[in-house]
């Protein structure tokens, strides 16, 4: 038998039932089993060269740690916050094999040759191919992969949805002006997700590599310079369960302030107070809604180079900054300012930073300095108390002066020499977690000093679990090109699967003086259905719609209006993300169960549970391919109402005014009247769209609402949820559609009167009758649009029953 044949047979073994599988991959031949003991919820396996600690976090999550002889357990994790529970776990030892199993996930350890493998509800997940080892100066571990198994994860990259076949560097780094492909970006996350519905999170932030079978030998390989040797396996029956498990483990995104779902005015950058005031006024004049203005580097210096680290208003150019921000706030517009972790030797704060021991050090114990684009610099050391306290005090004072949101730029860090010494280790040991701990600094500062307020933290770099600090990540300095637009869906979808559900792009593209109105409009139309709507670019070509050509302005305004109309829906799916970890943007494989269908594409995706979106990413496009998922389902064109059957790949014809967007049959979509700023949003009168179809017998949906600003509003009981249900049947030989409303009011919430204009789509003919709570009501039926409109009068703790006799 040839070596290749043996390898193929070995791969096949992993798909056999556990009872007949001998597990495909032996570990290091030198690793000999010695003993097994149980210490509470932890199984300890002693080997000749160290010991394994195996403990379940739940019935779907298990952690494995290897401690080589001569080393101590490092219990600290930057990513994991879930406390292991006393999940009922059975222990079985038949002399050849040990099984430690919950009612979901099970770990099997074979004594000779030593092997570790994982199953979920009896189905094989993954097995260690070789145990932990040391190769070429790197700690390594390998896992075996099945033929055809797809892999996702590894952070923010543009490689194609299935990333198997790539070797991924784990070193957060900007890729200026990237387009349709980028192998390394600002977020490198050590997690691999499998099409078999499991995830392996390698719980170590130090720099290294994550090899997704680049050698084509069926191997997932993790390599790191040092540190803890711990990983967690997360499994689930569905992708929803995997997302819930992974965010149980690493933390959930708190609900952002409602204004974060509005429109931003942003560019590189506004140079004066007068210019900033003028742009905010221009949005109001053009009736384009606006919720925030973002100030780039010029707020603290007249030049890009030489001033970084000032972190205080330049009073020559912003003489009345506090008054300006107060005036903006009165108009419903928040102020967001950029900050960076670098303090230049030419900045006003350099000597202060040196004196207060704020900076990372060189090998001689002095503040390390080095040159990069912005000047000669030091780096704030987040890993010692002096650095954290100094930096937070600056944020606190700026906030008290009127700043509402924070933009953390260059936080990879942009340039981070390996010889820098931080309070807890070397640069390479903390590099990948620097942006994560920067977001932590701000989030924890708010919890201490502004506990009632939700922070807004826009960050360019982070790590596993950064979402729990409220981090809003963006995809870096993408080129202003069609290639730049083409990569954005994949980046956001992948990051959502890795917990960071608010990944978004500089709408219109950032890098390059490209004036392409079609590109700009298509990017903004896509932006309606991505987590944050923030046009931003270098100033050579305006990023703000109010400064574009008239036709472009009109199309951009319509995109912004739609974004604001969707506030109730978007806020509700953001609440779902907070509760379950389900991302806002979701790949088709989350709902498509047929493995033969083209689920690896990112060109069409789900926005929440109900929308199907296909951005237009090529110039002059006259056709677009849309895959409608789930055979037997029905999807309605959001703009025309045309029905499309699920399980089919169709070619559609785009129009200038919008991108192809579809709504699932049975969906409830709450929408609002457009307001100039979310400050004016009340949620007291909602247009509730229901997409009726004979194929949907029952359905449900909801609207989540709170004050839009209080931190922890749901946990504190300061919320309302209106739940919607539909039931289609017959009564007295006639078709009968029932739509129900029921309100859940939090214990600390005063119920508000809430009315609805119910809009039922795809009604074939004028109904015979419509009642609300048993009383006949006037309704409007549009025969051409097949649209029925029914008023549901406003009342506190809304509860109503609408019956439509078809």
């Amino acid at each position: 038998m040839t070596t290749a044949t043996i390898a193929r047979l070995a791969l096949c073994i992993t798909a056999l039932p556990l009872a007949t599988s001998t597990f495909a991959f032996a570990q290091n031949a030198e690793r000999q089993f010695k003993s097994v003991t149980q210490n509470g919820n932890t199984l300890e396996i002693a080997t000749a060269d160290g010991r394994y600690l195996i403990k379940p976090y739940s019935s779907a999550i298990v952690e494995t740690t290897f401690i080589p002889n001569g080393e101590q357990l490092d219990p600290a994790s930057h990513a994991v916050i879930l406390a292991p529970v006393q999940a009922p776990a059975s222990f079985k030892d038949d002399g050849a094999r040990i099984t430690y199993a919950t009612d979901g996930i099970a770990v099997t350890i074979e004594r000779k040759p030593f092997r570790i493998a994982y199953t979920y509800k009896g189905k094989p997940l993954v097995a260690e191919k070789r145990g932990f080892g040391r190769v070429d100066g790197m700690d390594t571990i390998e896992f075996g992969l099945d033929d055809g198994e797809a892999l996702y994860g590894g952070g923010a990259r543009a490689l194609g949805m299935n990333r198997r076949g790539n070797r991924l560097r784990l070193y957060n780094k900007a890729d200026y002006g990237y387009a349709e492909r980028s192998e390394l970006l600002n977020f490198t996350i050590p997690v691999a997700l499998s099409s078999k519905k499991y995830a392996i999170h390698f719980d170590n932030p130090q720099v290294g590599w994550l090899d997704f079978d680049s050698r084509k030998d069926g191997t997932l390989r993790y390599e790191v310079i040092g540190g803890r040797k711990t990983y967690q396996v997360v499994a689930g029956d569905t992708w929803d369960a995997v997302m819930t498990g992974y965010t149980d483990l690493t933390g959930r995104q708190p609900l952002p302030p409602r204004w974060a779902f509005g429109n931003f005015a942003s560019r590189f950058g506004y140079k004066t107070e007068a210019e900033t005031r003028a742009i905010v006024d221009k949005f109001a004049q053009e009736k384009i809604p606006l919720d925030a203005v973002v100030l780039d580097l010029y707020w603290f210096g007249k030049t890009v180079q030489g001033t970084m680290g000032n972190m205080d208003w330049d009073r020559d150019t912003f003489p009345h900054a506090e008054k300006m921000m107060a005036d903006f706030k009165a108009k419903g517009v928040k102020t967001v300012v950029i900050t960076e972790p670098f303090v230049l030797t030419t900045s006003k704060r350099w000597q202060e930073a040196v004196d207060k021991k704020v900076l990372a050090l060189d090998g001689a114990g002095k503040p390390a300095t080095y040159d990069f684009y912005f000047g000669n610099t030091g780096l704030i050391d987040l890993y010692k108390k002096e650095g954290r306290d100094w930096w937070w005090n600056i944020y606190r004072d700026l906030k008290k002066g009127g700043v509402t949101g924070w933009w953390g730029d260059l936080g990879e860090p942009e340039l981070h020499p390996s010889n820098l010494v931080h309070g807890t280790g070397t640069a390479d040991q903390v590099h990948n977690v620097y942006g994560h701990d920067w977001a932590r600094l701000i989030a924890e500062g708010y919890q201490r000093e502004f506990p009632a307020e939700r922070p807004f933290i826009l960050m360019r770099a982070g790590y596993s679990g950064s979402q729990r600090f409220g981090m809003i990540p963006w995809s870096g300095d993408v080129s202003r090109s069609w290639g730049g637009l083409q990569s954005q869906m994949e980046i956001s979808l992948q990051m959502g699967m890795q917990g960071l559900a608010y990944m978004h792009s500089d709408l219109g593209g950032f890098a390059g003086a490209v004036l392409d109105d079609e590109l700009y409009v298509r990017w903004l139309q896509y932006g309606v259905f991505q987590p944050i709507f923030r046009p931003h670019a270098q100033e050579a070509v305006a990023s703000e719609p109010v400064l574009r050509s008239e036709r472009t302005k009109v199309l951009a305004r319509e995109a912004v209006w739609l974004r604001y109309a969707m506030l109730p829906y978007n806020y509700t799916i953001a609440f779902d993300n907070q509760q379950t970890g389900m991302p806002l943007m979701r790949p088709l494989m989350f709902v498509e169960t047929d493995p033969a269908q083209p689920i690896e594409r990112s060109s069409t995706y789900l926005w929440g549970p109900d929308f199907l979106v296909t951005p237009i990413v090529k110039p002059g496009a006259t056709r677009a391919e849309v895959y409608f998922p789930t055979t037997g389902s029905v999807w309605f064109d959001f703009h025309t109402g045309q029905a499309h059957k699920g399980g089919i790949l169709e070619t559609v014809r785009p129009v200038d005014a919008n991108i192809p967007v579809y709504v699932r049959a049975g969906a409830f979509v709450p929408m609002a009247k457009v307001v100039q700023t979310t400050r004016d949003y009340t949620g007291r009168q909602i247009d509730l769209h229901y997409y009726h179809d004979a194929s949907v017998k029952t359905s449900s949906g909801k609207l989540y609402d709170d004050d839009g600003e209080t931190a922890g509003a749901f946990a504190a009981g300061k919320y309302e949820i209106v739940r919607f249900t539909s039931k289609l049947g017959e009564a007295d030989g006639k078709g009968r559609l029932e739509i129900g409303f029921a309100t859940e009011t939090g214990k600390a919430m005063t119920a508000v009167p809430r009315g609805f204009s119910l809009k039922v789509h795809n009604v074939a003919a004028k109904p015979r009758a419509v009642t609300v709570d048993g009383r006949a009501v006037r309704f409007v039926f549009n025969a051409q649009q097949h649209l029925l409109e029914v008023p549901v009068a406003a009342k506190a703790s809304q509860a109503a029953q609408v019956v439509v006799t078809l």
Side-chain angles (χ1 to χ4, degrees), residues 331-522:
K331 297 175 181 179
V333 176
K334 313 300 187 293
T335 303
V336 179
V337 300
I338 195 172
T339 56
E340 303 84 9
F342 298 99
V343 182
L344 300 189
T345 56
T346 54
S347 76
K348 297 175 182 177
R349 291 188 187 266
W350 170 254
Q351 194 56 49
E352 177 188 345
V354 171
D355 293 343
K356 294 191 175 182
K357 304 184 185 308
V358 166
L359 304 168
L361 305 177
D362 60 20
K366 297 179 180 180
T369 59
Y370 51 95
D371 294 328
F372 76 144
Y373 173 78
F374 298 95
N376 185 254
T377 193
L379 179 68
I380 299 172
D381 191 352
L382 278 168
Y383 301 96
K384 56 186 179 184
K385 187 176 186 300
E386 296 91 337
R388 293 191 298 273
D389 290 349
W390 182 80
W391 209 0
W392 168 250
N393 289 341
I394 292 172
Y395 281 117
R396 180 190 59 206
D397 292 346
L398 288 167
K399 185 193 180 322
K400 289 180 177 179
V403 175
T404 311
W406 310 104
W407 172 8
D409 198 20
L410 312 181
E412 296 77 33
E414 168 86 7
L415 190 62
H416 199 188
S418 295
N419 62 355
L420 260 64
V421 179
H422 290 271
T424 59
T426 67
D428 287 349
Q429 289 173 324
V430 303
H431 176 84
N432 287 336
V433 81
Y434 190 95
H436 173 86
D437 285 325
W438 184 5
R440 181 203 303 267
L441 171 80
I442 299 172
E444 292 180 351
Y446 268 70
Q447 289 168 5
R448 285 192 313 270
E449 301 195 38
F450 311 105
E453 187 172 342
R454 304 175 193 176
F456 177 85
I457 307 171
L458 182 68
M459 283 277 172
R460 198 173 82 169
Y463 177 67
S464 316
S466 291
Q467 68 273 1
R468 68 178 180 266
F469 305 128
M471 181 186 284
I472 306 290
W474 92 98
S475 59
D477 294 338
V478 60
S479 72
R480 199 169 349 200
S481 67
W482 289 95
L485 173 57
Q486 288 161 18
S487 60
Q488 295 311 305
M489 286 64 73
E490 176 196 337
I491 292 171
S492 288
L493 289 169
Q494 291 269 356
M495 288 291 280
M497 292 174 69
Q498 298 169 71
L500 284 112
Y502 286 83
M503 173 58 80
H504 67 288
S505 61
D506 290 343
L507 297 183
F510 175 81
V514 176
L515 178 57
D516 186 332
D517 286 337
E518 182 188 7
L519 170 67
Y520 178 78
V521 167
R522 290 306 195 192

Side-chain angles (χ1 to χ4, degrees), residues 443-611:
E444 292 180 351
Y446 268 70
Q447 289 168 5
R448 285 192 313 270
E449 301 195 38
F450 311 105
E453 187 172 342
R454 304 175 193 176
F456 177 85
I457 307 171
L458 182 68
M459 283 277 172
R460 198 173 82 169
Y463 177 67
S464 316
S466 291
Q467 68 273 1
R468 68 178 180 266
F469 305 128
M471 181 186 284
I472 306 290
W474 92 98
S475 59
D477 294 338
V478 60
S479 72
R480 199 169 349 200
S481 67
W482 289 95
L485 173 57
Q486 288 161 18
S487 60
Q488 295 311 305
M489 286 64 73
E490 176 196 337
I491 292 171
S492 288
L493 289 169
Q494 291 269 356
M495 288 291 280
M497 292 174 69
Q498 298 169 71
L500 284 112
Y502 286 83
M503 173 58 80
H504 67 288
S505 61
D506 290 343
L507 297 183
F510 175 81
V514 176
L515 178 57
D516 186 332
D517 286 337
E518 182 188 7
L519 170 67
Y520 178 78
V521 167
R522 290 306 195 192
W523 212 318
L524 265 61
Q525 289 171 343
Y526 155 61
V528 174
F529 302 95
Q530 68 155 21
I532 301 292
F533 194 96
R534 187 183 54 83
H536 178 70
Q538 293 170 332
E539 63 184 339
V541 176
S543 58
E544 306 91 340
V546 295
L547 301 179
R548 303 297 288 241
S549 68
E550 193 59 34
R551 173 172 170 73
T552 302
K553 187 192 308 180
V554 168
L555 292 172
R557 181 189 291 118
E558 290 177 357
V560 177
W561 282 352
L562 178 55
R563 177 73 178 188
Y564 276 73
M566 290 190 63
L567 268 171
Y569 179 85
N570 292 348
Y571 200 64
T572 299
I573 64 174
F575 169 72
D576 286 343
N577 170 255
Q578 178 197 37
Q579 294 295 299
T580 69
M582 277 293 282
L584 286 72
M585 290 176 64
R586 307 170 187 181
L588 294 181
M589 62 187 175
F590 276 28
V591 295
E592 179 54 74
T593 56
D594 183 353
Q597 296 299 344
I599 58 175
E600 299 298 343
R601 63 177 62 209
S602 59
S603 55
T604 296
Y605 64 89
L606 298 161
W607 177 242
D610 300 313
F611 282 84

